Each structure stands twice: as structure tokens, then as C-alpha cells.
Amino acid sequence: MFSRRTFMISTAALFSAPIAAPVMAAPVTRRSMWNTWDAQVTPANFNPYKTNPWDLHARFLPQKVEVNDGLSPGDIHVDAVARYLYHIGNDGTAMRYGVAIARGDLYTPGIYTIRRKAKWPVWTPTASMIKREPHKYKQHAGGMNGGPSNPLGSRALYLYRGNRDTYLRIHGTPTPRSIGLRASSGCVRMVMAHINHLYENVDLGVRAHFYSPDPKVTARS
């Protein structure tokens, strides 16, 4: 949870405390494996509010929270300070998930539109990623098939500005212990079981608001 001061600085007090839980041709993802992979990344008897085999801090587990008036239902808000993603409902509440954000200056605040969704997507590193870390990314320049070890994980939401793909994503990650950290090359990461839960409820055309990180303010548990 935030202190009141931290909460107001990071997201302008938009959200309240939790409510009690109730361009190359890319390889083709093997759709016949999707159900098998979903089972692999979803713990048995999965309860999004309680299941935690990843040893996340409890505050990063999904929770339902109240929201202030004026937020558009369906939109997503990313608090870069607290490492939370909020998905706004139509009943004055939102689902809140823990996330990891981009390291250093690779995180880009702004308002984006979700124009594409994909299950078990193909991942292709950007030219800037290859240039920055060729030893790590050059081998995947032609794309990496979907699967549990793919950096985009089980689901991806693709962020656009107008009709331009920004190459930023909200996606699953095969490294769930990065949640809460600044770890990615620009995207917002989620536990795969959590983004699977989110994905089904996100409509194309909604907005994703990425708030600016403030290195002088930190979230409290």
C-alpha cells in the first residue's frame, strides 16, 4: 500500500485501498499448443487474489480497488512508481495487478491505444534493442516463436499512437520475479497467469495511460 503522500504524487489519488477479494516475416505460433502452455503457466486451483508460487510481495497480487469518478471504463493506467497496473471497470472499481516496467530511460510515459491483442505471440526484438545489446538479441532478429520461454509470454497487448505501432507492449513474462522492478527494454511485464486474467477483459480501442516515474518517491508496502 502507499502512504498518502506517495499515493497522491504517483497517481494523483485516482485509486483507493483494495476491496476485499471475491520487417521480416515472423514465425507462426503453434496454436495447437496454446491450451497446453496455458496449463503450464497457470497454477493448479488458481485464485488470482491468493495464488502465489512466484513468491511475489503480497501487494503485487491482483486486487479489486475503488476508483474515483472520471476514469473511463476499460482503460488501463500504469503507476510507474508503485509498479501497479489498473484496469478500470464500469462499476466504480478497478482490478489492480503488480507489474515490472522498463529500466532506466527506456520507460516512455504517455497515452496509448490498444489496437491489437495476441495469445502466445511471436517476439521480435526491435532494431534499437539489437543495436544496444547485439550479443543478446541479434540471434532473434527474425523472430522467436511463441511459447513459455518467449519474452512476451502468454499474452500481449500492443500499444499504438494513432496508427503507428510504438513497439511497446503490456505482456506476460517468463521471469515473474522481475515484478516490482525496473527490468524490461520498454514494455510493461506481468505474471503470465495474471495477464491471462486481464486479457479476456480488455477491449481493442481502449487507452493505456503510462504515468511518469518519480525516482524521489517510492511506494510503501
Side-chain angles (χ1 to χ4, degrees), residues 76-197:
I76 285 172
H77 295 257
V78 175
D79 181 339
V81 175
R83 315 292 197 256
Y84 289 146
L85 179 150
Y86 297 87
H87 182 227
I88 310 301
N90 57 11
D91 60 352
T93 69
M95 281 299 299
R96 190 187 80 187
Y97 303 85
V99 298
I101 66 168
R103 60 186 184 271
D105 61 358
L106 298 177
Y107 178 85
T108 307
I111 301 176
Y112 306 91
T113 302
I114 297 173
R115 296 200 176 278
R116 182 186 168 202
K117 299 166 55 176
K119 296 182 178 182
W120 294 105
V122 168
W123 170 71
T124 305
T126 64
S128 60
M129 291 170 66
I130 294 172
K131 181 178 180 179
R132 189 166 55 245
E133 299 179 85
H135 62 286
K136 186 175 181 180
Y137 297 121
K138 189 174 182 179
Q139 61 182 316
H140 300 300
M144 180 179 179
N145 279 321
S149 62
N150 183 295
L152 291 183
S154 56
R155 305 287 190 274
L157 307 175
Y158 293 71
L159 307 184
Y160 284 69
R161 280 186 169 154
N163 293 320
R164 180 179 64 85
D165 186 356
T166 64
Y167 297 101
L168 298 177
R169 316 284 186 243
I170 298 169
H171 64 83
T173 178
T175 55
R177 293 196 177 186
S178 66
I179 299 303
L181 304 178
R182 303 199 67 165
S184 76
S185 294
C187 299
V188 170
R189 297 178 179 178
M190 297 177 64
V191 169
M192 286 196 243
H194 294 171
I195 196 170
N196 290 1
H197 185 261

Side-chain angles (χ1 to χ4, degrees), residues 7-10 32 44 54 111 114 122 134-135 174 183 187 215:
F7 188 83
M8 293 180 68
I9 292 173
S10 61
S32 62
W54 314 282
I111 301 176
I114 297 173
V122 168
H135 62 286
C187 299

Side-chain angles (χ1 to χ4, degrees), residues 10-40:
S10 61
T11 50
L14 295 176
F15 308 98
S16 76
I19 299 171
V23 158
M24 295 181 179
V28 177
T29 299
R30 294 166 289 170
R31 295 192 177 200
S32 62
M33 294 296 295
W34 286 1
N35 289 340
T36 299
W37 292 336
D38 278 348
Q40 288 179 19

